[in-house]
Amino acid sequence: TNGTTPTAASPVYSGPITVSASETLLALAVASGFSNSAIASATYTINLPQAALPAFSPGAGTYTSAQTVTISTTTLSATIYYTTNGTTPTAASPVYSGPITVSSTETVKAMATASGYTSSAVASAAFTINLALPTAATPTFNPLGGTYTSAQSVTISTTTPGATIYYTTNGSTPTAGSAIYSSPISVSTT
């Protein structure tokens, strides 16, 4: 069954041979008192169905939180191999056994194999995870803005622990390059 010419030292035929993959069978008949036969040859092409392409749930996309991804195939008793680093999965890749957590941007690839089937094509899903960060609390002023008859010592605070407060006094929008609030500001003019 391996393409080599059979001899009297090759395996002896004793019953039907199962051909489960494409191959060429070669046979030689040997009998006492006879010359060896010519070599008989028969090629068998086995067109196995292909395992169904794996599917991802949820599908590829951009998300604002980690995703619990399930991988499935409609081929019964299939084994699914997968990767999370964008490489093509093989039979040496991890075997899918339950939902996987995708908590950072990555590409998940999977293929299915099953007895009596050829391996599926490789399915791929790119997940972009943009974790939504909470917004820092808006700073508050004490005393509040208003009209006063004397200079005011203004404190600025926020309820966000560890926050750095940036401020301006000229009406422009503060940025991370503006002055950092560290102590009360004396406001003596409008």
Side-chain angles (χ1 to χ4, degrees):
T1 60
N2 62 4
T4 60
T5 302
T7 67
S10 298
V12 175
Y13 175 79
S14 60
I17 299 169
T18 301
V19 178
S20 58
S22 296
E23 64 187 11
T24 298
L25 294 180
L26 299 171
L28 167 70
V30 176
S32 179
F34 290 85
S35 296
N36 290 351
S37 73
I39 303 295
S41 174
T43 300
Y44 297 88
T45 302
I46 307 298
N47 290 321
L48 296 175
Q50 187 175 41
L53 185 70
F56 302 96
S57 180
T62 300
Y63 299 92
T64 57
S65 63
Q67 296 297 300
T68 300
V69 178
T70 59
I71 308 172
S72 61
T73 180
T74 57
T75 301
L76 298 178
S77 302
T79 299
I80 298 173
Y81 297 94
Y82 73 97
T83 61
T84 57
N85 60 3
T87 60
T88 300
T90 67
S93 299
V95 173
Y96 175 78
S97 60
I100 57 174
T101 300
V102 177
S103 57
S104 61
T105 297
E106 61 192 26
T107 298
V108 180
K109 292 187 176 185
M111 71 165 205
T113 63
S115 178
Y117 291 84
T118 60
S119 295
S120 72
V122 174
S124 179
F127 294 89
T128 301
I129 307 297
N130 291 328
L131 298 176
L133 298 175
T135 303
T138 303
T140 56
F141 301 97
N142 186 17
L144 296 175
T147 303
Y148 296 92
T149 57
S150 63
Q152 298 295 304
S153 179
V154 178
T155 59
I156 307 172
S157 62
T158 179
T159 57
T160 302
T164 300
I165 300 173
Y166 298 91
Y167 73 96
T168 63
T169 59
N170 61 4
S172 65
T173 301
T175 67
S178 300
I180 296 175
Y181 174 79
S182 61
S183 61
I185 301 166
S186 178
V187 178
S188 57
T189 59
T190 299

